[in-house]
Amino acid sequence: MADRQGSLATHSVPERGGEVMSTDSAVGAAQRTVRRLITYLLLFALVVVAAVGLSGLLGRLLVADTVLASADVAGLARSLAFALIGGPLAALLWWVVWRRLGDETERASVGWGLYVTGVYVLSLVLATSNLLSTVTTLIGGRSLQWRPSLATGLVWAAVWVWHRWMWRHPRKRPADVADAPTVLSSYIGLVIGVSGAVSALSILLDAALRGALAAGMVGKPWWVSALQSLVWAVGGGLVWWWHWTHDGVRRLRGDLASVGLIAVGILGAGVLTLGGAGVTLFVLLRLAFDRTEAMDLLLEPLAPAIAAAAIGSLVWVYHRGLAREGSEAIRQGSRLVTSGVALVAAASGIGVIVNAALAMAATPLAGSGARTLLLGGISSLLVGGLVWWFTWKPLERTSAAAPGPAGVSGNWQNARRIYLIVVFGLSAVVAVITLLVIGYRMFEYFLGDISGGSVVDRIRAPLGLLVATGLVAGYHFAVWRHERAVLAAAAPVRKRTIGHVVLVTGTDPGLLNRAIEDVTGAGVTVWRRADVGAGAAADVGELAGRLAGELEGVTGKQVLVTVSPDGRIEVIPLLG
């Protein structure tokens, strides 16, 4: 009865009805969101549990004639519990969820899209890794480990096929984050394929170099390892091609696809390429100036470095071409990311060079250690510096900063300024940290701790980092100030027609204040009205626009502007 009276009382107050209905709607929406979250999390967990149980049972069936079938009773019990209890529960909950997906709001929920994406990606990774491990184990020789891998791979492949069918269902597929499964899967396949390709090429090059040096191979034949790595390269490449070309990820232009292109195709491939090129140059410099180790040891990192640089450059060039075909934001984002990667490599090289120079200055007989360190810094500086120079084009910074039309050019200018501020800020943070480390090491030395060597030996590594970050911070701060001055000089100069404005308003004066300053360039004094009651707020943005129009053409040493509670604006020039 009390609930009914409360309901009647609520509906008897018209002016409160909308608020009550709004509150009820918000509560209902929150309840549905929580219900979906719990449902999809539980379904995700049950699907994983059931798949693990089925993988364990199938693995035992495949090894039924071996001792593995009778061992590990606890593992068998776990697999039975997961499969026979978790499996039916997962099927029942999925059936309930699937029936509800006839509702458009259910299909449009973020939870459904995230669930399909999560299981799709997880099942693809587990199926691919286990099936490829099965093939590589068979190539490696006699082993029973291929059977559990095969069982796990087959079960998770079935889970992937099931969720791919749901993802592609014409009426019940997710409406939100619909492209996430294929975008993520394509780049996962790319990472797997590139890793396998680098490993295979590295083994081939290493075998060629060692063969030239008549060095015997230890362990299994080199071609076995190369073939196993090639399997991973082909498998990852197939996963990438299936999603990239067959599912059309290459044609996507959404935010997630753009982020994947920049993060994996540009940033990841750039790091791989620059790292490989830097190590390759380092080995070549050591062969020319620092042959203090056996030739076999000197050449040991050369093959992996060449492979990383070669494969990484192919991926990098391909994705940079795609970025050039994309929007202006993607093109400029690719350029900024490439500049950032190269800048880190160059700055690291500067820091290492300073470190090595201090080591040589402090200990003239430092030997090959400091020389090796110096060559490492030179190689990093050369590789990173050249890429940074041709990407950033420092001599063209004035034209890059010149103001352009609104839209694309303005967005590029904003992105460039944000990049400068971020680099300067991070460099300043690193500089502060290294200063603290230098101070700590110096105080430690002067307080009597002699176990760490001389004071130069203690501080040369952080001092080198401090010099590098100081140069980076100083350069980018100078560029930022220069471009800011260029933009300010290129901006149109507004003739000042009003000396001072007194603004009388009861609303928030922030936007009104800025509107007055933009139009007149005058200083503003704000007086707050006392006759504005609660609920009399006006649209401040609309008021600011109208106020800017009212001030056009007004002249005077002092001007009074009043904004009434009902939104009327009066502009009154004052004498004297």
Side-chain angles (χ1 to χ4, degrees):
M1 179 62 70
D3 292 341
R4 181 174 178 82
Q5 291 174 353
S7 176
L8 290 174
T10 298
H11 289 289
S12 65
V13 185
E15 64 272 15
R16 300 286 293 177
E19 180 179 344
V20 172
M21 291 300 295
S22 177
T23 303
D24 291 343
S25 177
V27 171
Q31 291 175 353
R32 287 191 294 272
T33 301
V34 173
R35 186 259 301 168
R36 290 170 185 149
L37 177 64
I38 295 174
T39 299
Y40 293 124
L41 283 176
L42 182 59
L43 181 59
F44 182 90
L46 287 175
V47 169
V48 172
V49 166
V52 171
L54 290 174
S55 300
L57 293 179
L58 182 59
R60 290 173 181 275
L61 290 176
L62 292 177
V63 295
D65 296 332
T66 68
V67 69
L68 292 177
S70 59
D72 192 14
V73 175
L76 177 60
R78 182 179 60 250
S79 297
L80 288 171
F82 282 11
L84 299 181
I85 297 177
L89 289 177
L92 177 62
L93 183 57
W94 173 82
W95 180 76
V96 173
V97 169
W98 192 248
R99 290 187 60 189
R100 286 178 174 172
L101 290 172
D103 184 3
E104 180 66 28
T105 59
E106 291 290 333
R107 295 196 303 275
S109 67
V110 179
W112 174 234
L114 291 179
Y115 164 76
V116 173
T117 300
V119 181
Y120 187 101
V121 173
L122 177 65
S123 59
L124 177 68
V125 170
L126 292 177
T128 303
S129 59
N130 281 279
L131 292 177
L132 293 178
S133 295
T134 300
V135 178
T136 56
T137 303
L138 291 173
I139 293 174
R142 296 180 179 179
S143 175
L144 295 176
Q145 292 301 317
W146 66 270
R147 297 179 180 182
S149 297
L150 178 61
T152 303
L154 290 176
V155 170
W156 282 105
V159 174
W160 176 76
V161 172
W162 174 33
H163 284 77
R164 181 174 174 83
W165 169 76
M166 288 190 289
W167 173 71
R168 294 175 61 89
H169 196 278
R171 295 187 304 275
K172 297 185 178 183
R173 60 177 299 175
D176 200 356
V177 293
D179 298 326
T182 50
V183 172
L184 295 176
S185 298
S186 65
Y187 287 110
I188 288 172
L190 179 64
V191 171
I192 294 175
V194 168
S195 301
V198 169
S199 179
L201 183 58
S202 173
I203 293 170
L204 289 174
L205 293 174
D206 190 59
L209 292 172
R210 290 174 182 270
L213 295 172
M217 301 295 296
V218 180
K220 60 185 177 181
W222 65 268
W223 63 266
V224 173
S225 299
L227 187 57
Q228 289 175 328
S229 299
L230 187 62
V231 168
W232 284 93
V234 173
L238 287 175
V239 172
W240 171 79
W241 173 85
W242 179 264
H243 294 90
W244 186 256
T245 302
H246 181 270
D247 289 341
V249 173
R250 188 188 186 282
R251 298 186 296 271
L252 295 178
R253 294 295 182 266
D255 293 339
L256 183 60
S258 300
V259 170
L261 175 66
I262 298 297
V264 180
I266 304 297
L267 177 60
V271 171
L272 183 64
T273 304
L274 291 181
V279 175
T280 300
L281 181 59
F282 171 63
V283 174
L284 296 178
L285 289 176
R286 289 201 67 190
L287 288 174
F289 304 106
D290 187 28
R291 293 195 179 190
T292 56
E293 293 181 347
M295 186 63 67
D296 197 29
L297 293 177
L298 281 175
L299 293 177
E300 184 176 358
L302 183 59
I306 295 176
I311 303 299
S313 62
L314 291 177
V315 177
W316 197 8
V317 169
Y318 175 73
H319 286 87
R320 278 179 63 85
L322 293 177
R324 291 192 183 98
E325 297 174 2
S327 64
E328 182 70 15
I330 295 178
R331 289 198 296 272
Q332 302 304 344
S334 169
R335 179 184 174 188
L336 292 179
V337 168
T338 303
S339 299
V341 172
L343 179 65
V344 170
S348 301
I350 294 174
V352 173
I353 290 174
V354 173
N355 185 357
L358 289 175
M360 292 179 176
T363 310
L365 301 178
S368 61
R371 184 165 60 251
T372 303
L373 192 64
L374 178 62
L375 295 178
I378 292 174
S379 62
S380 182
L381 176 60
L382 288 177
V383 171
L386 287 175
V387 174
W388 176 81
W389 184 272
F390 288 109
T391 303
W392 180 251
K393 297 184 171 88
L395 298 181
E396 299 180 7
R397 68 177 186 267
T398 300
S399 60
V408 172
S409 299
N411 292 336
W412 160 233
Q413 293 167 9
N414 291 334
R416 181 181 169 94
R417 286 193 290 270
I418 291 173
Y419 170 83
L420 291 171
I421 294 172
V422 168
V423 172
F424 168 72
L426 291 177
S427 302
V429 171
V430 174
V432 170
I433 294 174
T434 52
L435 274 175
L436 293 174
V437 173
I438 291 173
Y440 165 75
R441 301 292 281 174
M442 292 182 65
F443 286 128
E444 185 182 46
Y445 174 79
F446 289 119
L447 289 175
D449 185 0
I450 60 173
S451 59
S454 65
V455 65
V456 175
D457 288 333
R458 293 170 183 263
I459 68 171
R460 58 187 174 89
L463 184 59
L465 184 58
L466 177 62
V467 171
T469 53
L471 291 174
V472 170
Y475 169 77
H476 287 83
F477 180 70
V479 172
W480 175 76
R481 290 193 62 183
H482 171 78
E483 295 187 357
R484 186 181 178 187
V486 170
L487 290 173
V493 179
R494 184 179 297 274
K495 184 178 179 180
R496 185 167 178 172
T497 59
I498 299 176
H500 191 79
V501 175
V502 177
L503 173 64
V504 181
T505 180
T507 61
D508 183 8
L511 288 177
L512 303 178
N513 203 343
R514 283 195 291 273
I516 295 172
E517 291 177 348
D518 291 341
V519 172
T520 67
V524 181
T525 299
V526 178
W527 291 354
R528 301 301 297 268
R529 300 181 69 118
D531 58 347
V532 180
D539 186 346
V540 182
E542 189 266 341
L543 281 176
R546 288 198 291 119
L547 177 57
E550 293 283 347
L551 288 171
E552 290 289 348
V554 178
T555 60
K557 292 184 178 180
Q558 293 194 36
V559 173
L560 174 66
V561 176
T562 62
V563 180
S564 62
D566 59 0
R568 289 186 299 107
I569 298 175
E570 284 189 85
V571 178
I572 306 171
L574 304 177
L575 295 176

